[in-house]
Amino acid sequence: MTEFAASLGYARELFGAFGAGIVAKYLELQFARGMDRAVVLDVGVSREFGPTMVSLAARNLGSDLELHGRGFRIPTQLALGVSTERFEVGELDMFLTSQLLRRRDGEIIPAGGVELSYWPVQGYTFRLRAGLQRVVEDERSPFTFGFAFTGDALTVEYAFQAFDVDGDAHRLGLSFR
């Protein structure tokens, strides 16, 4: 099985106190005997409370996939996130984040992560990321890691997660602002 996903998002500040965003995602599942596609939406809001950011997002809103009469449920989710402001640790900046995810089947999945940042000159930032989440399915690792580089307005991101079967997940992101 091969999966492909592409997304396009838009975010803005509302009423001077809230962040809001929407993301449209194109999903594609491909098997040896066929493929199916779907478009789903994510919507979310966030608000700062002192040094903490709290967010709420509904993810994967849309239709499910179907291939040769067999349905594949796209995991609709509701996520509550809490994160810290960046704080200094020696020459590095650190950022902590946590999430409580509720899937449409009722499963609750806690997760957390840390990011270390270093910028040798203004406008160029290197980031190292690590995360841990409760695994509901047995075929993937609870640990993820990644890195990112921002050069002026362009950011390149990479994330890795190991799976016990059918290879590993490699995620690549590009953003420009």
Side-chain angles (χ1 to χ4, degrees):
M1 178 176 82
T2 302
E3 298 176 26
F4 174 79
S7 60
L8 180 64
Y10 176 76
R12 69 173 300 139
E13 188 176 308
L14 296 176
F15 312 113
F18 293 92
I22 187 166
V23 175
K25 296 187 290 191
Y26 169 82
L27 307 174
E28 187 176 285
L29 276 178
Q30 186 169 7
F31 291 88
R33 292 186 285 154
M35 67 190 290
D36 195 11
R37 302 169 186 91
V39 175
V40 295
L41 295 176
D42 296 354
V43 294
V45 294
S46 64
R47 174 137 193 215
E48 287 185 34
F49 295 95
T52 305
M53 176 71 74
V54 177
S55 62
L56 184 63
R59 297 182 187 154
N60 300 328
L61 304 173
S63 62
D64 291 325
L65 297 168
E66 188 168 317
L67 190 60
H68 300 295
R70 182 176 168 203
F72 294 94
R73 294 185 83 184
I74 296 173
T76 303
Q77 306 165 342
L78 184 63
L80 174 66
V82 178
S83 59
T84 66
E85 286 183 341
R86 296 185 187 280
F87 55 93
E88 291 183 18
V89 178
E91 293 289 318
L92 304 174
D93 278 354
M94 183 178 275
F95 173 75
L96 303 174
T97 187
S98 62
Q99 174 180 272
L100 198 57
L101 181 77
R102 183 184 186 279
R103 298 189 324 185
R104 78 167 144 184
D105 63 5
E107 193 73 45
I108 303 292
I109 302 172
V114 61
E115 176 182 282
L116 294 171
S117 300
Y118 173 72
W119 63 86
V121 294
Q122 189 170 357
Y124 294 88
T125 305
F126 297 89
R127 295 179 184 89
L128 183 61
R129 299 172 175 154
L132 191 64
Q133 70 179 4
R134 184 171 80 80
V135 174
V136 178
E137 295 84 15
D138 294 330
E139 70 263 0
R140 64 184 170 136
S141 170
F143 179 73
T144 60
F145 75 89
F147 57 86
F149 170 74
T150 299
D152 295 324
L154 179 68
T155 299
V156 179
E157 300 176 276
Y158 170 79
F160 173 82
Q161 185 172 24
F163 283 76
D164 292 338
V165 294
D166 296 331
D168 301 319
H170 301 273
R171 296 175 178 96
L172 182 65
L174 292 172
S175 60
F176 183 80
R177 56 182 176 125

